[in-house]
Amino acid sequence: MTDLDSLNALEADVLAQIAGAADEAALEAVRVAALGKKGSVSEKLKTLGAMSPEERKTFGPALNALRDRVAAALAERKAALADAALEARLASERLDVSLPVRESGLETGRIHPVSQVMDELTAIFSAMGFSVAEGPDIETDELNFTALNFPVGHPAREMHDTFFLPEKADGERLLLRTHTSPVQVRTMRSTQPPIRVICPGRTYRFDMDQTHTPMFHQVEGLVIDKEAHLGHLRWVLEEFLKTFFEVPSVELRFRPSFFPFTEPSMEVDVRCRKLPNEVRIGEGDDWLEILGCGMVHPNVLRNCGVDPDVYQGFAWGMGIDRIAMLKYGMPDLRDLFSADVRWLQHYGFRPLDFPTLAGGLSS
Ligand code: 2NL
């Protein structure tokens, strides 16, 4: 049976639960428990049907009023909880526009000195009319050695200088290129002279000590034309070296040497001053060997489909890692490839400061 006291108790209980609901989900549970199909208030409303007309006169309005007050309390609490949730979100998502901007990759990322130097020499030789050619790191014996006039049995062709891949079923041994010359061979075979090309890239030799790493970087240059001669070579090298080292002039010294792919062959020294912690190019009384060069051997021209009775040319090769160390004062070659991010933060270059002749190579 229903009496007014138990209705008051029920209302007090439901209102207390509404007031105590901590969030919208808890409030919904309270609503279902009170006004849902089998809710405490709904069950009370169902008892009206079994009442006498007299009782119904008393309890009908009382129960309806109770239900309305519960519904109103639910709506009010729901609005309050939604307000509180919005306030909390606004507080947690508040943006302090006075905070300093977080450093982007553009500020923290660095270009490796070897990449920087490759970009620098590309800018310099591009301005002289050279194009840039690249080729695969894995090469054939023919392109790396035979076409370049290396005789069978030449020491460079032996296991102790060259990384060979496992022999293929047909007996061919591919290898990691020991210089970028195969790219020039490919260029001569696919391009009608005149040719002006540089070939920068990774090269590999079975060598590891204070001044050698098994992987290193090289840039070779090649000019093929009807009358390309050593005077042109000398001008190209001087122009390159003084622009690269950002000095007003350089002095070069050519010494006779030997390479299988050039005749005559020369080693080139540049005048410098050797100080305890740096080498200054373009001044002083010391000489520093910087590259090798020569006139392309007629056998090489023939092997590459170029008629040596019509065309001649010159070529040179130099180590990128070494000229990078010289220019940027890095003391140990092996640091270049140790992947130490602190070293890169110190010696690296800012990502968008791409070297150009007009905008400055290294500044
Ligand atoms: C060195 C010497 C050199 C070449 C590389 C070359 C390429 C072709 C034909 C003829 Cl396809 N020559 N390259 C020529 C002379 C020297 O490199 O000491 N490099 C670090």
Side-chain angles (χ1 to χ4, degrees), residues 148 181 184-185 188 218 220-222 259 261-262 291-294 296-297 300 315-319:
L148 288 156
S181 314
Q184 282 130 293
V185 174
M188 281 188 274
Q218 206 192 19
E220 289 200 19
L222 175 74
F259 304 111
F261 32 75
T262 45
L291 59 93
C293 62
V296 180
H297 197 291
V300 174
W316 72 91
M318 74 187 139

Side-chain angles (χ1 to χ4, degrees), residues 68-128:
D68 291 347
R69 283 193 296 275
V70 166
L74 280 167
E76 194 185 327
R77 181 76 184 140
K78 186 168 179 165
L81 284 173
D83 276 357
L86 181 63
E87 285 301 328
R89 220 181 110 191
L90 286 174
S92 74
E93 293 179 2
R94 202 173 79 173
L95 201 62
D96 183 349
V97 292
S98 70
L99 282 173
V101 177
R102 196 195 303 150
E103 280 199 312
S104 75
L106 279 178
E107 303 302 321
T108 54
R110 287 293 180 270
I111 300 295
H112 194 281
V114 169
S115 303
Q116 167 76 15
V117 164
M118 284 201 187
D119 291 341
E120 290 181 18
L121 53 91
T122 300
I124 298 168
F125 284 114
S126 299
M128 286 191 221

Side-chain angles (χ1 to χ4, degrees), residues 11-23:
E11 179 172 350
D13 179 41
V14 173
L15 291 180
Q17 284 184 48
I18 290 170
D23 54 34

Side-chain angles (χ1 to χ4, degrees), residues 292-360:
C293 62
M295 295 302 291
V296 180
H297 197 291
N299 288 348
V300 174
L301 292 175
R302 254 188 299 274
N303 292 340
C304 299
V306 177
D307 184 349
D309 294 325
V310 180
Y311 289 104
Q312 56 186 27
F314 54 84
W316 72 91
M318 74 187 139
I320 291 179
D321 313 315
R322 227 169 80 80
I323 63 169
M325 289 173 66
L326 268 173
K327 180 167 179 178
Y328 292 114
M330 300 172 294
D332 192 332
L333 178 95
R334 288 165 299 187
D335 291 339
L336 266 65
F337 311 120
S338 63
D340 186 332
V341 77
R342 294 161 303 178
W343 182 89
L344 190 60
Q345 280 295 327
H346 182 79
Y347 285 107
F349 294 81
R350 293 165 53 85
L352 285 187
D353 293 345
F354 194 84
T356 62
L357 290 187

